[in-house]
Amino acid sequence: MVKQVIQSADAPAAIGPYSQAIRAGDTVYLSGQIPLDPQTMQIVDGGIEAQANRVFANLDAVAKAAGGALSDIVKLTILLTDLAEFAKVNEIMSAHFAAPYPARATYQVAALPRGAKIEVEAVLVLRMGAEADAQTGWRETFDQTKGQ
């Protein structure tokens, strides 16, 4: 099996010995994202709302670099330093995802890197079915009509 490193300049660079994501076949494993601004590499200000929005924006950038989107995520793991913010994170997550929502686990942890309030990791499966068929159909139509 070939592992492909996924890298996006629109998400924070790894702050340790890991990749932003690894693709194995049609599955992409996205490393945990904390609310670092990719330009400054600093935690965003503004509490859990700003931090959660930044985390989902970072995940979106990595998903796009892999050829996918947030809607392709099948599993999320959310780490919070305070479960009292669970309802707010649910509200923010619902602004970034549509049904059917990914499977998810949420845990309270003692601390996160750089004092973040939230970290989210994900598993994404790239769409190969209908989109691939549509592209193939387009290509066949193009091939049949070229030169006419």
Side-chain angles (χ1 to χ4, degrees), residues 104-129:
R104 186 182 86 180
T106 304
Y107 303 98
Q108 180 170 316
V109 296
L112 290 167
R114 300 203 180 172
K117 295 174 178 280
I118 183 172
E119 180 173 353
V120 181
E121 67 175 18
V123 177
L124 177 149
V125 177
L126 296 172
R127 293 180 253 175
M128 300 308 283

Side-chain angles (χ1 to χ4, degrees), residues 38-137:
Q39 307 309 313
T40 65
M41 293 298 290
Q42 300 298 313
I43 297 286
V44 297
D45 292 328
I48 192 64
E49 186 170 332
Q51 288 197 14
N53 279 308
R54 180 74 258 166
V55 164
F56 290 122
N58 291 345
L59 286 172
D60 186 48
V62 177
K64 286 178 180 170
L70 289 180
S71 60
D72 297 317
I73 291 175
V74 297
K75 174 70 168 76
L76 283 174
T77 303
I78 299 176
L79 307 172
L80 296 171
T81 58
D82 186 355
L83 273 178
E85 303 191 279
F86 183 74
K88 188 65 172 171
V89 171
N90 278 340
E91 180 184 321
I92 294 162
M93 182 182 156
S94 69
H96 292 274
F97 291 86
Y101 299 108
R104 186 182 86 180
T106 304
Y107 303 98
Q108 180 170 316
V109 296
L112 290 167
R114 300 203 180 172
K117 295 174 178 280
I118 183 172
E119 180 173 353
V120 181
E121 67 175 18
V123 177
L124 177 149
V125 177
L126 296 172
R127 293 180 253 175
M128 300 308 283
E131 287 78 7
D133 292 342
Q135 287 182 349
T136 301

Side-chain angles (χ1 to χ4, degrees), residues 14-36:
I15 57 174
Y18 61 90
S19 301
Q20 287 178 335
I22 294 289
R23 179 177 177 176
D26 294 334
T27 304
V28 182
Y29 301 90
L30 287 77
S31 293
Q33 287 288 326
I34 60 174
L36 289 175

